[in-house]
Amino acid sequence: MPKELNLNRVSMPKQGPKERAQNFREVALGYEEKHALDEAVRCIECKKRTCTEGCPVGVDIPEFVAALRDKNLPEAVRILKSKNALPGICGRVCPQETQCEEVCTLAKKGAPIAIGRLERYVADWELLHNSQNTPEIAPPTGKKVAVVGSGPAGLTVAADLARRGHKVTIFEALHIAGGVLMYGIPEFRMPKNIVQAEVDYVKSLGVEVKLDAVMGKISTVDELLESGFHAVFLGTGAGLPMFLRVPGENYNGIYSANEFLTRVNLMKAYLFPEYDTPIKKGKKVAVIGGGNVAMDAARCALRLGASEVTIVYRRSRTELPARLEEVENAEEEGVVFKFLTNPVRFMGDDKGWVKSMECVEMELGEPDASGRRRPIVKKGSEFTMDVDTVVVALGTTPNPLVPMTTKGLDTTDKGTVVADPETGKTTKPGVWAGGDVVTGSATVISAMGAGKRAAESMDAYLKQQ
Ligand code: FAD
Ligand code: SF4
């Protein structure tokens, strides 16, 4: 007899908007056992696993959900981690609504299984019960691999190759591993102890992590290959900020989102003076852009004590690239959205600090190359907004250091590394690449998917050598 559909999706407990807008603690509190079981029991274990097909790393979703429903948590962890080394991270920041949950059979009825929340529950259970089980690791192959960058792409390729018996060393430019998860995404969305636990898990597979190691400065890719590494993976991300390039953009008080978020998250400016990182605590803050990065910057500014935070976006609400959940969270906390608006110049005071910005109103024309409707300036629509802090969150491109110092590595005119989308192979023999350095700024799970595909291809190459 077919199972009766239960369409009561269990909501995520959260801190209230007023309370959370004043602290950096995690907003989403996570399911308790009862919530998780109530949600897991809704899964109808479809024959055609559209959910698994929708997951870029192919997690066996119905199996891990069934193990959770049967209260066999160690088995749920095992199934999850056999495909995804970073479930606590993905359960928090992956856009499930456009991946596994979008294609879940119950999505047609408006109530997909909350796969991300269940993934987070299982990962957090493992951490809480300190029950990390190390998966099977193949005998040593004698092959050495260098991974440049320790973001989700680098960590995934490293974990998958280590499990296949290869000796992996990660070289990371910063003093801490984790990439954007550590330096960009704020604590209230991505607690750093979770990232650290998942980095530690990758290390427990035998991966060595060398910090403060800027490739292209301390050594080149060619030198790595000459010094005994049999293959190299480039997962250096896209950490170079883009600017508006309008007059006055150099005034004090105008930050790139990269600098602003790195100061707040990595260098813990929100705990100043306990941590020795200063940041301007603006009262009237404007954040330019409409992606996840803009939402994070706006919500950080609010938590630092701003009385007015405005997101200024040149298209309309429909085109906002940020996750809907994050837009709603920002609005609930009091962030104001000014759509169809673009800054054209900044004005400063006699001490060189920004004090206002001139904006123009926009209207939408025909779709452009991105598929979104092109914003067009409305003539005579100039107006001025008072601001004392501005955060520019317009996107990022890859840092050119590694491509510039690597002979034979082709890049596109956008500065991304050219790599085969199926295998991650670059134009340089023995070198693979994946994640934001290839696609430009994208998502955690797409970087992980690229890491998985590259690991497959690198493993085949290493076995042939
Ligand atoms: P990164 O995470 O950028 O890691 C690259 C690493 O390489 C860094 O640690 C860097 O220090 C290191 N590196 C760079 N150059 C060198 C060098 N020369 N030598 C050694 N190391 C080097 N995605 C989502 O899915 N959901 C979200 O909610 C989300 N929110 C985001 C919020 C913010 C503020 C930002 C900035 C991004 C967000 N993203 C989100 C995007 C996501 O974080 C990235 O797509 C993902 O981290 C890319 O992974 P990666 O491994 O390619 O690169
Ligand atoms: Fe369960 Fe949805 Fe996957 Fe079907 S598609 S097995 S309901 S998670």
PDB file of all heavy atoms in Angstrom, residues 395-407:
ATOM      1  N   GLY A 395      31.408  40.955  -6.294  1.00  0.00           N
ATOM      2  CA  GLY A 395      31.936  39.703  -6.855  1.00  0.00           C
ATOM      3  C   GLY A 395      33.454  39.713  -6.822  1.00  0.00           C
ATOM      4  O   GLY A 395      34.084  40.714  -6.452  1.00  0.00           O
ATOM      5  N   THR A 396      34.010  38.570  -7.185  1.00  0.00           N
ATOM      6  CA  THR A 396      35.464  38.405  -7.086  1.00  0.00           C
ATOM      7  C   THR A 396      35.985  37.659  -8.309  1.00  0.00           C
ATOM      8  O   THR A 396      35.217  37.007  -9.027  1.00  0.00           O
ATOM      9  CB  THR A 396      35.827  37.587  -5.834  1.00  0.00           C
ATOM     10  OG1 THR A 396      35.009  36.417  -5.807  1.00  0.00           O
ATOM     11  CG2 THR A 396      35.615  38.368  -4.554  1.00  0.00           C
ATOM     12  N   THR A 397      37.290  37.757  -8.521  1.00  0.00           N
ATOM     13  CA  THR A 397      37.947  36.986  -9.580  1.00  0.00           C
ATOM     14  C   THR A 397      39.139  36.251  -8.946  1.00  0.00           C
ATOM     15  O   THR A 397      39.545  36.591  -7.831  1.00  0.00           O
ATOM     16  CB  THR A 397      38.457  37.911 -10.712  1.00  0.00           C
ATOM     17  OG1 THR A 397      39.300  38.892 -10.111  1.00  0.00           O
ATOM     18  CG2 THR A 397      37.327  38.587 -11.455  1.00  0.00           C
ATOM     19  N   PRO A 398      39.720  35.270  -9.634  1.00  0.00           N
ATOM     20  CA  PRO A 398      40.858  34.558  -9.038  1.00  0.00           C
ATOM     21  C   PRO A 398      42.077  35.445  -8.883  1.00  0.00           C
ATOM     22  O   PRO A 398      42.338  36.322  -9.717  1.00  0.00           O
ATOM     23  CB  PRO A 398      41.140  33.435 -10.047  1.00  0.00           C
ATOM     24  CG  PRO A 398      39.872  33.257 -10.784  1.00  0.00           C
ATOM     25  CD  PRO A 398      39.261  34.632 -10.878  1.00  0.00           C
ATOM     26  N   ASN A 399      42.837  35.183  -7.832  1.00  0.00           N
ATOM     27  CA  ASN A 399      44.119  35.859  -7.649  1.00  0.00           C
ATOM     28  C   ASN A 399      45.077  35.341  -8.734  1.00  0.00           C
ATOM     29  O   ASN A 399      45.183  34.130  -8.929  1.00  0.00           O
ATOM     30  CB  ASN A 399      44.648  35.518  -6.248  1.00  0.00           C
ATOM     31  CG  ASN A 399      45.888  36.311  -5.930  1.00  0.00           C
ATOM     32  OD1 ASN A 399      46.854  36.289  -6.691  1.00  0.00           O
ATOM     33  ND2 ASN A 399      45.867  37.007  -4.823  1.00  0.00           N
ATOM     34  N   PRO A 400      45.770  36.247  -9.462  1.00  0.00           N
ATOM     35  CA  PRO A 400      46.573  35.787 -10.610  1.00  0.00           C
ATOM     36  C   PRO A 400      47.937  35.183 -10.250  1.00  0.00           C
ATOM     37  O   PRO A 400      48.655  34.727 -11.136  1.00  0.00           O
ATOM     38  CB  PRO A 400      46.769  37.077 -11.428  1.00  0.00           C
ATOM     39  CG  PRO A 400      46.650  38.179 -10.439  1.00  0.00           C
ATOM     40  CD  PRO A 400      45.750  37.709  -9.339  1.00  0.00           C
ATOM     41  N   LEU A 401      48.288  35.171  -8.948  1.00  0.00           N
ATOM     42  CA  LEU A 401      49.658  34.779  -8.572  1.00  0.00           C
ATOM     43  C   LEU A 401      50.077  33.401  -9.119  1.00  0.00           C
ATOM     44  O   LEU A 401      51.134  33.272  -9.755  1.00  0.00           O
ATOM     45  CB  LEU A 401      49.789  34.809  -7.040  1.00  0.00           C
ATOM     46  CG  LEU A 401      51.162  34.473  -6.485  1.00  0.00           C
ATOM     47  CD1 LEU A 401      52.217  35.452  -6.989  1.00  0.00           C
ATOM     48  CD2 LEU A 401      51.130  34.480  -4.956  1.00  0.00           C
ATOM     49  N   VAL A 402      49.263  32.387  -8.898  1.00  0.00           N
ATOM     50  CA  VAL A 402      49.663  31.040  -9.343  1.00  0.00           C
ATOM     51  C   VAL A 402      49.677  30.956 -10.881  1.00  0.00           C
ATOM     52  O   VAL A 402      50.685  30.528 -11.463  1.00  0.00           O
ATOM     53  CB  VAL A 402      48.786  29.942  -8.692  1.00  0.00           C
ATOM     54  CG1 VAL A 402      49.058  28.583  -9.326  1.00  0.00           C
ATOM     55  CG2 VAL A 402      49.076  29.885  -7.193  1.00  0.00           C
ATOM     56  N   PRO A 403      48.602  31.398 -11.582  1.00  0.00           N
ATOM     57  CA  PRO A 403      48.676  31.344 -13.048  1.00  0.00           C
ATOM     58  C   PRO A 403      49.882  32.107 -13.617  1.00  0.00           C
ATOM     59  O   PRO A 403      50.536  31.645 -14.555  1.00  0.00           O
ATOM     60  CB  PRO A 403      47.358  32.000 -13.491  1.00  0.00           C
ATOM     61  CG  PRO A 403      46.432  31.778 -12.356  1.00  0.00           C
ATOM     62  CD  PRO A 403      47.265  31.799 -11.114  1.00  0.00           C
ATOM     63  N   MET A 404      50.185  33.262 -12.990  1.00  0.00           N
ATOM     64  CA  MET A 404      51.303  34.087 -13.520  1.00  0.00           C
ATOM     65  C   MET A 404      52.654  33.391 -13.370  1.00  0.00           C
ATOM     66  O   MET A 404      53.585  33.651 -14.124  1.00  0.00           O
ATOM     67  CB  MET A 404      51.369  35.408 -12.746  1.00  0.00           C
ATOM     68  CG  MET A 404      50.647  36.547 -13.439  1.00  0.00           C
ATOM     69  SD  MET A 404      50.421  37.951 -12.322  1.00  0.00           S
ATOM     70  CE  MET A 404      51.936  38.062 -11.448  1.00  0.00           C
ATOM     71  N   THR A 405      52.762  32.511 -12.365  1.00  0.00           N
ATOM     72  CA  THR A 405      54.063  31.885 -12.099  1.00  0.00           C
ATOM     73  C   THR A 405      54.111  30.434 -12.593  1.00  0.00           C
ATOM     74  O   THR A 405      55.027  29.701 -12.254  1.00  0.00           O
ATOM     75  CB  THR A 405      54.357  31.910 -10.577  1.00  0.00           C
ATOM     76  OG1 THR A 405      53.233  31.354  -9.880  1.00  0.00           O
ATOM     77  CG2 THR A 405      54.609  33.318 -10.080  1.00  0.00           C
ATOM     78  N   THR A 406      53.087  30.029 -13.364  1.00  0.00           N
ATOM     79  CA  THR A 406      53.055  28.632 -13.843  1.00  0.00           C
ATOM     80  C   THR A 406      53.077  28.601 -15.364  1.00  0.00           C
ATOM     81  O   THR A 406      52.094  28.979 -16.012  1.00  0.00           O
ATOM     82  CB  THR A 406      51.780  27.920 -13.321  1.00  0.00           C
ATOM     83  OG1 THR A 406      51.696  28.120 -11.910  1.00  0.00           O
ATOM     84  CG2 THR A 406      51.815  26.443 -13.625  1.00  0.00           C
ATOM     85  N   LYS A 407      54.183  28.137 -15.923  1.00  0.00           N
ATOM     86  CA  LYS A 407      54.310  28.065 -17.395  1.00  0.00           C
ATOM     87  C   LYS A 407      53.328  27.035 -17.957  1.00  0.00           C
ATOM     88  O   LYS A 407      53.167  25.958 -17.397  1.00  0.00           O
ATOM     89  CB  LYS A 407      55.734  27.623 -17.775  1.00  0.00           C
ATOM     90  CG  LYS A 407      56.751  28.766 -17.761  1.00  0.00           C
ATOM     91  CD  LYS A 407      58.104  28.252 -18.198  1.00  0.00           C
ATOM     92  CE  LYS A 407      58.826  27.725 -17.028  1.00  0.00           C
ATOM     93  NZ  LYS A 407      59.792  26.891 -16.829  1.00  0.00           N
TER      94      LYS A 407
END
